[in-house]
Amino acid sequence: MQPQAESGLTEDFIIPVPQLTSTTSPGIVYVSFTWDTPEQYAQASFQRILKFVSKELDPSTSEPEEEGYEDEYQLEDTALAAGDYIVPRYVTFASEWDRMRGGVSTTETFSLPVMESLKAACNSVVEIPNMQSLGGSEETSAPTVRTLQLSGLVGGGGGKVLVWWAMLEVGVRAEQLATADLVIAATGG
């Protein structure tokens, strides 16, 4: 599993599957990466290639032969995104928003890609950063106006993050600047 160039990640180690047979299938491979810059949340795409040694079975003993041939199979790419760092968290939005007034606060204006409906756009804004929608704000009652209130807890020491999203404007309050930047980037700012 290789991250894209300039991903901000360095591979630590891989724990491969030592042997995979029809009776032990499927198997799990573990890969560990370290952030090159711990104060930033790395986001990357990963190319995944399954590399293996294929061996014939001895028909008389059903044991694999000593010799085999190396082969590989391209798997679907995977990604590490903002939502992988955020755990949805319920809070009382108005009181938390006021309490975090003195913390990191940022506002951005951006445009959404074309969506089939306002409901689809709201779902996208909630799902991409993996945050908790609060107070029923994800329900679309008005056909053209929508305000979302979102909350989450960011791993890696990122702390709480709140998002106020009104169509083309997003406001973020967070305990750390890197957390606010992560959410702004995820929501399209």
Side-chain angles (χ1 to χ4, degrees):
M1 192 160 127
Q2 294 297 317
Q4 65 192 25
E6 305 299 321
S7 66
L9 297 168
T10 301
E11 184 181 295
D12 297 322
F13 59 87
I14 297 175
I15 301 175
V17 176
Q19 182 177 7
L20 194 59
T21 66
S22 61
T23 58
T24 62
S25 180
I28 299 173
V29 174
Y30 295 95
V31 182
S32 173
F33 291 91
T34 298
W35 296 333
D36 295 340
T37 310
E39 56 277 356
Q40 294 179 342
Y41 292 94
Q43 298 183 63
S45 294
F46 294 87
Q47 181 183 37
R48 299 183 310 154
I49 299 174
L50 175 63
K51 295 181 180 184
F52 56 95
V53 175
S54 186
K55 295 182 178 183
E56 298 290 329
L57 293 179
D58 183 326
S60 60
T61 63
S62 294
E63 292 294 319
E65 294 179 355
E66 291 293 320
E67 297 295 317
Y69 61 93
E70 291 186 10
D71 204 352
E72 62 182 47
Y73 182 76
Q74 176 77 40
L75 301 172
E76 184 178 314
D77 287 355
T78 191
L80 175 62
D84 296 318
Y85 296 106
I86 301 172
V87 177
R89 182 167 185 246
Y90 179 81
V91 297
T92 304
F93 188 84
S95 62
E96 274 304 298
W97 187 260
D98 287 342
R99 190 188 69 71
M100 294 179 72
R101 185 177 322 127
V104 174
S105 184
T106 186
T107 304
E108 289 285 332
T109 302
F110 61 95
S111 61
L112 283 174
V114 175
M115 299 266 180
E116 64 185 55
S117 68
L118 183 58
K119 177 72 173 164
C122 290
N123 289 343
S124 175
V125 170
V126 172
E127 290 170 7
I128 290 172
N130 190 36
M131 298 181 75
Q132 177 72 46
S133 178
L134 301 170
S137 63
E138 76 282 2
E139 298 301 320
T140 54
S141 55
T144 59
V145 179
R146 184 82 246 127
T147 300
L148 288 172
Q149 298 171 345
L150 309 173
S151 175
L153 188 60
V154 180
K160 294 178 192 173
V161 61
L162 298 174
V163 173
W164 175 86
W165 180 82
M167 295 310 291
L168 302 178
E169 184 175 56
V170 63
V172 176
R173 288 194 179 163
E175 293 179 345
Q176 294 189 19
L177 180 59
T179 300
D181 290 345
L182 174 72
V183 173
I184 288 288
T187 55

